Amino acid sequence: NETKPGKAQVLYDFTAEPGNNELTVKEGETITITNQHIGGGWIEAQNSRGEVGLVPEDYIEVRDVGNAAPPDLSFFDAFAPTSAPPQNQASNGNDPWSVWNTDATGGSSNNWASKPEGTQTGKSAAADPWSSAAQGHPQAYQGPGAEDDEWDDEWDDVKSSGGYAESESGESGAMQRGGAHGSSMKISLNKFPGFSKSGPELYLLCKQLVKGKDKLPIYMGEVGPVWSYPETQLDCVVADPKKGSKMYGLKSYIEYQITPSTTNRPVNHRYKHFDWLYERLLDKFGSAIPIPSLPDKQVTGRFEEEFIKMRMERLQGWMTRMCRHPVVSNSDVFQLFLTYKDEKDWKTGKRKAEKDETVGVMIFSTIEPEAPDLDPIEVEQKCEQFSRFTRAMDDGVKEILTVGQEHWKRCTGPLPKEYQRIGKAFQNLSSVFNSSGYQGESTLTDAMTAAGKTYEEIAQMVAEQPKKDLHFLMETNNEYKGLLGCFPDTIGVHKAAIEKVKEGDKLVATSKISPQEKVTMAKRVSIMSYALQAEMNHFHSNRIYDYNRVMQLYLEEQVKFYETIAAKLRQAHSQFTTM
Amino acid sequence: NETKPGKAQVLYDFTAEPGNNELTVKEGETITITNQHIGGGWIEAQNSRGEVGLVPEDYIEVRDVGNAAPPDLSFFDAFAPTSAPPQNQASNGNDPWSVWNTDATGGSSNNWASKPEGTQTGKSAAADPWSSAAQGHPQAYQGPGAEDDEWDDEWDDVKSSGGYAESESGESGAMQRGGAHGSSMKISLNKFPGFSKSGPELYLLCKQLVKGKDKLPIYMGEVGPVWSYPETQLDCVVADPKKGSKMYGLKSYIEYQITPSTTNRPVNHRYKHFDWLYERLLDKFGSAIPIPSLPDKQVTGRFEEEFIKMRMERLQGWMTRMCRHPVVSNSDVFQLFLTYKDEKDWKTGKRKAEKDETVGVMIFSTIEPEAPDLDPIEVEQKCEQFSRFTRAMDDGVKEILTVGQEHWKRCTGPLPKEYQRIGKAFQNLSSVFNSSGYQGESTLTDAMTAAGKTYEEIAQMVAEQPKKDLHFLMETNNEYKGLLGCFPDTIGVHKAAIEKVKEGDKLVATSKISPQEKVTMAKRVSIMSYALQAEMNHFHSNRIYDYNRVMQLYLEEQVKFYETIAAKLRQAHSQFTTM
């Protein structure tokens, strides 16, 4: 895939991450390639204003291609709408909070509108949270060998999820992972049920179930089906972000230290490792368990420090949520991430995880509910109930985010300015009074000046308060927005399976399946239902914990805020003479 | 001045006062006179939409005048700019507070810009707080006998101050009162000093000073020259507004009950009586004592009740300020207003007051400072100091009014809406949670609903708070804005006198005055300075009292406000479970 140096045309908007030697380019812009041997998916280029920086290789189209056929861009057309910027570009460069209102979690808001059944065109795949194309850069330039397991061959800004070789647009326009792992697939395929290899039928009709240690039991608890919870809940701390660089300083990256509560021994990971973990968890558990997206890669902070702090905070939130999940936290790949001993250990584990075949709907084959099979009616009712609930909660959460963002703007913008002006007005009048030449004025003027200064202090308090309370309310709701954005697909897999079971008699009659297979399907959809119920119960229990905690924190800080203002004003009041 | 019924053209915009059977008309509109014998300066007319109501006679020009010469409208041109609405029409019919930002106190804000010396055209007289034309309706149709002393011949909306007969535009465009009281004049004439009868020379050079009981002594107090204060300060209560009507119900009016602290016996007065008192005080004391304008006549409240309450509150404020002034409160006319025994008593006193010749600059002839004559340099320095101070305070007060009005808008508009939306968002999410079907949810949902309701309560508190604190801060500053608007003229009279004394030698040399008159002038300007200083000391002492009181009240209410919010949120917080 070598390209000669020369002119290139930009295919997609790319926003440089500050401090990373990157170059911001716009779709349609012509740039000059100054170094094509940077590696890691990057080239160095110069724009028409003479600015030089790194640009992702697959964001540009080289014009003077002599030794290679022009890339087939029809692939891009299907997955990355050229008019819409790639997902990971923040819409507002000035405000790290602005992501709350954008559909940063993979355009999940669209998902509620589109039914999981029915035909979807390839174009709409960009709104699919499961579609990698919607979340990362198009990967067509990366052949199967383009990314191997080299420790050093890493980059922060282009997804490292094992290259999509021989990519093809299927009938549905969905993307199928090719190459070494034939059985792994994007579960977005489950949106298009039919008697293909890609639907829940893969599980419903498969011959052999997984045996042994990987079994995931489900018990009947007080609230209904529950996962098996460990005695001690896993936890970890993400901290100490350190800047490193490679390629002779051309590229820099941030490395985080993650310390699990089990070993208390820190391991280092870069964002791309988190991303790799996310892809593995999504592949393995995504059909049964909502795996929320990682925090946006390119949330541009006002300052780099603020950006790093924000990303770390959100990575911590993501890790905490994964640690809390009994199935996820106990998985080999998650344990590897948290407790690998050395580079060799990591590499071995990484290769093993990528070869895991119990992915997609096959995860259900490992689930063993210790309870009698469920009635299909009940299965469907439960499913409908969860669907309604998650949909309603998604609306509720988005309402809080919208209202909260407006409140944030007011509290950091016009409101403190007004308090400041009130403070200034009192102080100005006080200094006029001071110039009266009249005796015995000082008690009043001192008190008025103090009152004015108090309102200036209040102005500052008002402006700083959202960081102390609203921030956490927003972050929690933002996390839930991401989580809820995963449910339409999880529930979609379930609904597709229910539909298939409903067709059971017809399928037997037309000899598509055997009567025995029909019985198996019903049994397996019951297993899927137990999994969904266990997961919903896990979600509810976490939700109650999270909202109880965040509402308490919010109100606690609000009480402190208003009490401090009252105390300050009381003090200001006491300086006036009583008459 | 009889006019035949028929068509008439509207000369000025007139806005009907609600509930008064009036008709709103626009300049240039043609109306049909349906009854010209209403009396009291009103006619009944019908507009093109068929609406019938009362319109001030002098706002219209009757077309078919047969028995009278067309009125000379050049007079109007000079005093009532046709493009600007009369002073007493509120600019914003929806908001009684909007007057804070309009120059409702007689366009006083313009006064600071115009130097008291120099020529002013008649056109600008509308911006002169001393010019009656700027405050009321043009009175050209009212001959000297047009208003007599009849108890019943009253109306609320047209000024009743003794008609201006034979009105003339002087060289300066100022208005001179003619008729029976040749010596009385509008002190706006003092703005145009020169050796005419109209400047401070009237006092500086007059032969005979007032004798006897009307003397106003000035003593040397701790703070410098002070008026003679009574042992007990007069006070009064304005209350119990009652609606009355006359002209067979065609016109209605409001009568207020005023109870002075001295007699504790209530007297009744309509707005027009207050206005009459204001005119008398202005005539008599205006050169030495700032007499603030009455509250706007036609501040249109959202509801009639609100309007009446507001006007009463402001009349109370005005009366309190007048009661507090030792010179004003002790005057015959003020005492008459507060303590007249019956209709006859009132009429007699009214006639006497209108015949008072010690008005305008002649008030200084009654002042007797018990202190040695002042050095002219000191006189001028004091005057400059007061001028600077009142000007600076005027700026400071207006800044508070501007900032306060913005704050008022925010507190009653967008801010409570936002708190309400936050409250709704919490409650909505809570009701979604309630629908989860998960056990043990109620503690959280109850607490979240309570928190949501708390924010709705806070929204209401925020919206209602300005009436409890900001209102009084605004009212006090608005009063001071009115008061300060009187100073440019009061100080202007003083400066004109100083200039005249400075010219003393030249005037003697050119035989315009005698050497003895020069000595008298210097002595009398010293008396004027004592009066100004006594008045400034009165102003300062009241200012310190007023601002100390209003700042305390404001802060006290603000403390209560924030403490109540904190308590409500603390209560909401306590409903969440501690973990």
Side-chain angles (χ1 to χ4, degrees):
Chain A
N1 275 348
E2 256 189 56
T3 52
K4 275 185 187 167
K7 297 279 178 190
Q9 187 151 21
V10 177
L11 297 172
Y12 313 100
D13 287 357
F14 171 74
T15 307
E17 192 168 318
N20 261 0
N21 291 311
E22 297 172 1
L23 181 68
T24 296
V25 290
K26 294 266 165 221
E27 185 192 333
E29 189 179 339
T30 301
I31 53 175
T32 310
I33 295 171
T34 50
N35 186 349
Q36 65 175 329
H37 302 295
I38 300 293
W42 295 84
I43 58 101
E44 190 192 72
Q46 185 175 41
N47 66 16
S48 61
R49 291 176 303 282
E51 293 157 351
V52 175
L54 303 179
V55 178
E57 214 170 58
D58 45 4
Y59 270 53
I60 60 163
E61 182 183 23
V62 179
R63 281 180 177 167
D64 305 323
V65 181
N67 54 351
D72 177 13
L73 293 174
S74 65
F75 179 85
F76 291 118
D77 292 343
F79 292 95
T82 49
S83 57
Q87 195 67 35
N88 54 4
Q89 294 190 28
S91 60
N92 181 339
N94 290 326
D95 182 6
W97 316 103
S98 66
V99 297
W100 281 328
N101 242 11
T102 64
D103 285 316
T105 52
S108 58
S109 63
N110 292 344
N111 277 26
W112 297 105
S114 62
K115 287 205 166 196
E117 297 90 1
T119 309
Q120 295 207 345
T121 69
K123 287 273 181 192
S124 68
D128 175 0
W130 302 114
S131 158
S132 183
Q135 289 165 348
H137 299 193
Q139 301 285 335
Y141 282 146
Q142 310 261 328
E147 198 212 23
D148 63 16
D149 238 332
E150 285 309 307
W151 183 257
D152 285 335
D153 184 16
E154 310 180 291
W155 62 101
D156 270 353
D157 303 292
V158 178
K159 286 226 170 182
S160 63
S161 52
Y164 301 108
E166 300 163 52
S167 305
E168 54 183 63
S169 309
E171 51 165 309
S172 60
M175 188 161 47
Q176 204 150 5
R177 175 171 292 179
H181 332 296
S183 64
S184 86
M185 53 167 189
K186 304 302 290 179
I187 67 156
S188 59
L189 293 181
N190 293 320
K191 279 191 167 184
F192 315 99
F195 255 41
S196 71
K197 288 179 208 161
S198 56
E201 305 83 349
L202 199 67
Y203 159 65
L204 292 177
L205 295 171
C206 75
K207 301 293 176 203
Q208 198 187 342
L209 295 185
V210 176
K211 302 272 179 200
K213 73 168 183 72
D214 286 335
K215 287 290 175 194
L216 298 172
I218 288 178
Y219 302 102
M220 289 307 289
E222 277 179 37
V223 294
V226 288
W227 298 115
S228 166
Y229 285 84
E231 272 180 38
T232 319
Q233 189 175 281
L234 180 59
D235 201 0
C236 74
V237 175
V238 181
D240 202 17
K242 279 204 183 85
K243 207 164 178 173
S245 71
K246 43 177 217 153
M247 287 188 284
Y248 312 101
L250 272 176
K251 284 288 293 170
S252 62
Y253 57 85
I254 308 291
E255 200 164 52
Y256 304 88
Q257 201 180 64
I258 301 105
T259 313
S261 56
T262 41
T263 64
N264 211 20
R265 202 181 57 81
V267 292
N268 292 325
H269 280 298
R270 290 171 52 192
Y271 185 88
K272 69 158 279 183
H273 298 161
F274 283 94
D275 199 43
W276 176 86
L277 174 64
Y278 165 70
E279 290 288 342
R280 292 291 78 65
L281 296 177
L282 187 60
D283 274 357
K284 187 162 182 65
F285 299 115
S287 290
I289 297 166
I291 306 292
S293 295
L294 283 179
D296 265 359
K297 278 186 246 179
Q298 274 183 306
V299 176
T300 309
R302 232 163 310 188
F303 309 106
E304 203 181 359
E305 258 179 53
E306 202 173 90
F307 157 71
I308 290 168
K309 197 182 151 222
M310 182 75 153
R311 181 189 265 185
M312 191 175 76
E313 193 184 315
R314 289 182 172 178
L315 284 174
Q316 172 76 70
W318 189 85
M319 282 302 291
T320 301
R321 194 160 297 279
M322 293 300 102
C323 282
R324 267 203 239 158
H325 200 290
V327 174
V328 171
S329 65
N330 196 40
S331 68
D332 287 349
V333 63
F334 195 73
Q335 287 294 329
L336 169 76
F337 186 83
L338 279 183
T339 60
Y340 74 88
K341 288 185 191 69
D342 50 30
E343 194 184 319
K344 192 178 160 237
D345 192 24
W346 169 253
K347 275 194 191 176
T348 314
K350 216 178 161 213
R351 285 213 186 84
K352 190 181 160 224
E354 282 163 3
K355 279 182 189 146
D356 188 352
E357 296 198 359
T358 313
V359 294
V361 290
M362 289 312 288
I363 191 66
F364 294 112
S365 71
T366 66
I367 290 167
E368 287 196 336
E370 297 196 346
D373 290 352
L374 287 171
D375 182 70
I377 307 278
E378 199 186 344
V379 168
E380 195 167 4
Q381 279 171 348
K382 288 282 176 194
C383 179
E384 286 300 333
Q385 189 193 341
F386 298 152
S387 177
R388 269 196 310 274
F389 177 80
T390 50
R391 196 183 286 248
M393 181 167 169
D394 191 64
D395 289 342
V397 160
K398 280 175 184 161
E399 184 190 356
I400 288 191
L401 288 172
T402 305
V403 171
Q405 194 173 29
E406 261 179 52
H407 194 53
W408 188 290
K409 275 186 196 158
R410 189 177 311 281
C411 289
T412 53
L415 203 54
K417 267 190 202 127
E418 210 163 274
Y419 283 116
Q420 203 164 19
R421 287 182 64 197
I422 291 169
K424 288 265 181 246
F426 283 156
Q427 288 177 79
N428 287 347
L429 197 58
S430 171
S431 88
V432 170
F433 284 4
N434 243 333
S435 75
S436 70
Y438 189 78
Q439 284 176 28
E441 181 105 57
S442 62
T443 310
L444 174 64
T445 55
D446 288 354
M448 277 183 74
T449 301
K453 284 190 178 143
T454 302
Y455 276 94
E456 285 191 315
E457 283 169 39
I458 291 173
Q460 210 175 336
M461 282 180 65
V462 168
E464 284 166 8
Q465 189 58 22
K467 281 186 197 158
K468 294 184 189 163
D469 49 27
L470 190 53
H471 172 73
F472 300 103
L473 188 66
M474 294 296 274
E475 284 293 310
T476 297
N477 278 285
N478 199 39
E479 267 193 76
Y480 271 88
K481 183 184 156 202
L483 209 47
L484 289 162
C486 302
F487 273 99
D489 284 322
T490 307
I491 288 172
V493 173
H494 200 70
K495 281 190 177 167
I498 290 168
E499 289 308 311
K500 201 50 65 186
V501 172
K502 278 187 185 171
E503 291 171 31
D505 287 333
K506 202 182 83 189
L507 293 168
V508 171
T510 54
S511 298
K512 294 251 169 84
I513 58 171
S514 69
Q516 182 53 41
E517 279 176 321
K518 196 198 128 191
V519 174
T520 303
M521 287 215 306
K523 192 182 173 57
R524 287 186 182 171
V525 88
S526 164
I527 292 174
M528 285 176 76
S529 182
Y530 275 118
L532 183 60
Q533 289 180 55
E535 187 51 29
M536 278 312 290
N537 285 332
H538 177 75
F539 177 82
H540 287 321
S541 128
N542 274 275
R543 170 179 60 78
I544 290 170
Y545 174 85
D546 287 338
Y547 276 90
N548 195 47
R549 197 188 51 163
V550 80
M551 286 297 295
Q552 272 192 74
L553 188 144
Y554 182 71
L555 292 172
E556 212 169 281
E557 290 298 323
Q558 286 267 291
V559 168
K560 273 190 214 161
F561 171 66
Y562 288 110
E563 277 180 349
T564 309
I565 290 180
K568 277 176 186 288
L569 290 170
R570 185 180 287 284
Q571 167 63 21
H573 175 264
S574 72
Q575 300 200 36
F576 289 87
T577 44
T578 327
M579 285 179 296
Chain B
N1 274 346
E2 257 188 54
T3 52
K4 276 185 187 164
K7 296 280 177 190
Q9 186 150 23
V10 177
L11 298 170
Y12 313 99
D13 287 358
F14 170 74
T15 307
E17 192 166 319
N20 261 359
N21 290 311
E22 296 171 3
L23 181 68
T24 296
V25 291
K26 294 268 164 218
E27 185 193 332
E29 188 178 341
T30 300
I31 54 175
T32 308
I33 295 172
T34 49
N35 186 350
Q36 63 177 330
H37 302 295
I38 299 291
W42 295 85
I43 57 102
E44 191 192 72
Q46 184 175 40
N47 66 17
S48 60
R49 290 176 303 282
E51 294 157 351
V52 175
L54 302 179
V55 178
E57 212 169 58
D58 45 4
Y59 270 54
I60 60 161
E61 183 184 22
V62 179
R63 281 181 180 166
D64 305 323
V65 182
N67 54 353
D72 177 14
L73 293 173
S74 64
F75 178 86
F76 291 119
D77 292 343
F79 291 94
T82 49
S83 57
Q87 195 68 35
N88 55 3
Q89 295 191 24
S91 59
N92 182 338
N94 290 326
D95 183 7
W97 315 104
S98 66
V99 296
W100 281 328
N101 242 11
T102 64
D103 284 316
T105 53
S108 59
S109 63
N110 291 345
N111 277 26
W112 296 106
S114 63
K115 288 206 165 194
E117 298 89 2
T119 311
Q120 295 206 345
T121 68
K123 287 273 183 195
S124 68
D128 175 359
W130 302 115
S131 157
S132 182
Q135 289 164 349
H137 298 193
Q139 301 287 333
Y141 283 146
Q142 310 259 329
E147 200 214 19
D148 63 17
D149 240 334
E150 285 309 306
W151 183 256
D152 286 335
D153 184 15
E154 310 179 293
W155 63 102
D156 269 354
D157 303 294
V158 178
K159 286 225 168 185
S160 63
S161 51
Y164 302 109
E166 301 164 52
S167 306
E168 53 183 64
S169 309
E171 50 164 311
S172 61
M175 190 163 44
Q176 203 151 6
R177 174 171 295 181
H181 331 296
S183 65
S184 85
M185 51 165 191
K186 302 302 290 178
I187 67 154
S188 58
L189 294 180
N190 292 321
K191 278 192 164 179
F192 317 99
F195 253 40
S196 70
K197 289 180 205 157
S198 56
E201 305 83 347
L202 198 66
Y203 159 65
L204 292 177
L205 295 172
C206 76
K207 300 296 176 203
Q208 198 187 342
L209 296 185
V210 176
K211 303 275 178 200
K213 72 166 184 76
D214 287 337
K215 287 292 177 192
L216 298 172
I218 288 177
Y219 302 103
M220 289 306 292
E222 277 179 37
V223 294
V226 288
W227 299 114
S228 166
Y229 285 84
E231 272 180 36
T232 318
Q233 190 176 281
L234 180 59
D235 201 1
C236 74
V237 175
V238 182
D240 202 18
K242 279 204 183 84
K243 211 164 175 173
S245 70
K246 42 176 218 155
M247 287 189 284
Y248 311 100
L250 271 175
K251 284 287 294 172
S252 64
Y253 57 85
I254 307 293
E255 201 164 51
Y256 303 88
Q257 200 179 65
I258 301 105
T259 313
S261 56
T262 41
T263 63
N264 212 21
R265 201 180 57 82
V267 294
N268 291 325
H269 281 298
R270 292 172 48 192
Y271 185 88
K272 68 158 278 183
H273 298 160
F274 282 95
D275 199 43
W276 176 87
L277 175 64
Y278 165 70
E279 290 288 342
R280 294 290 77 68
L281 297 177
L282 187 61
D283 274 357
K284 187 161 182 65
F285 300 114
S287 291
I289 296 167
I291 306 292
S293 296
L294 284 179
D296 266 0
K297 279 186 248 180
Q298 274 184 305
V299 177
T300 310
R302 232 163 309 187
F303 309 105
E304 203 180 359
E305 258 180 54
E306 202 172 272
F307 157 71
I308 291 168
K309 198 182 152 221
M310 182 75 153
R311 182 189 263 184
M312 190 175 77
E313 192 184 317
R314 288 181 172 178
L315 284 174
Q316 173 74 72
W318 189 84
M319 283 302 289
T320 301
R321 193 161 297 278
M322 294 300 101
C323 283
R324 267 203 238 158
H325 200 291
V327 175
V328 171
S329 64
N330 197 40
S331 67
D332 288 348
V333 64
F334 195 73
Q335 287 293 328
L336 170 76
F337 186 85
L338 279 183
T339 60
Y340 73 90
K341 287 185 191 68
D342 50 29
E343 194 185 320
K344 195 181 158 229
D345 192 26
W346 170 252
K347 276 194 192 176
T348 314
K350 216 175 159 214
R351 285 214 185 86
K352 191 181 157 217
E354 282 164 2
K355 280 182 187 146
D356 189 353
E357 296 197 359
T358 314
V359 295
V361 290
M362 290 313 286
I363 192 64
F364 293 113
S365 70
T366 65
I367 290 167
E368 287 196 336
E370 296 196 344
D373 289 352
L374 287 170
D375 183 68
I377 307 279
E378 200 186 342
V379 169
E380 193 166 4
Q381 279 170 350
K382 287 282 177 195
C383 178
E384 286 299 333
Q385 190 192 338
F386 298 151
S387 176
R388 270 196 308 274
F389 177 80
T390 49
R391 196 183 287 250
M393 182 168 168
D394 191 65
D395 289 343
V397 161
K398 280 174 184 162
E399 184 189 354
I400 288 191
L401 288 173
T402 306
V403 172
Q405 195 173 30
E406 263 179 52
H407 194 54
W408 188 290
K409 275 185 197 157
R410 189 177 310 283
C411 289
T412 53
L415 204 53
K417 268 191 203 125
E418 210 163 275
Y419 283 116
Q420 205 165 18
R421 287 182 65 198
I422 290 170
K424 287 266 181 246
F426 284 155
Q427 288 176 80
N428 286 348
L429 197 58
S430 171
S431 86
V432 170
F433 284 5
N434 244 333
S435 75
S436 71
Y438 189 77
Q439 285 178 28
E441 182 105 56
S442 63
T443 310
L444 175 64
T445 55
D446 288 354
M448 276 184 75
T449 300
K453 283 188 179 147
T454 302
Y455 276 94
E456 283 190 315
E457 283 169 40
I458 291 173
Q460 210 176 335
M461 281 180 65
V462 168
E464 283 166 9
Q465 189 58 21
K467 281 186 198 160
K468 294 184 189 164
D469 50 25
L470 190 52
H471 173 72
F472 300 103
L473 188 66
M474 294 296 274
E475 284 294 309
T476 298
N477 278 284
N478 199 39
E479 266 194 77
Y480 270 88
K481 183 184 156 201
L483 208 48
L484 289 162
C486 303
F487 273 100
D489 285 323
T490 307
I491 287 171
V493 173
H494 201 70
K495 280 189 179 168
I498 290 169
E499 290 307 311
K500 202 49 64 186
V501 172
K502 277 187 186 171
E503 291 172 31
D505 287 334
K506 203 183 80 188
L507 293 167
V508 171
T510 54
S511 298
K512 295 251 168 83
I513 60 170
S514 70
Q516 182 53 40
E517 279 176 323
K518 195 197 127 190
V519 173
T520 304
M521 288 214 308
K523 193 180 172 59
R524 288 187 182 168
V525 87
S526 163
I527 292 174
M528 285 176 76
S529 181
Y530 276 117
L532 184 60
Q533 288 179 55
E535 187 52 29
M536 278 312 292
N537 285 332
H538 178 75
F539 177 84
H540 286 321
S541 128
N542 273 277
R543 169 179 60 78
I544 290 171
Y545 174 85
D546 287 338
Y547 277 90
N548 195 49
R549 198 188 49 165
V550 80
M551 286 297 294
Q552 272 190 74
L553 188 143
Y554 183 70
L555 292 172
E556 214 169 281
E557 290 297 323
Q558 285 267 292
V559 168
K560 272 189 217 162
F561 171 67
Y562 288 112
E563 276 179 350
T564 310
I565 291 180
K568 277 176 186 287
L569 289 170
R570 184 179 289 285
Q571 167 63 22
H573 174 264
S574 72
Q575 299 199 37
F576 288 87
T577 44
T578 328
M579 285 178 293

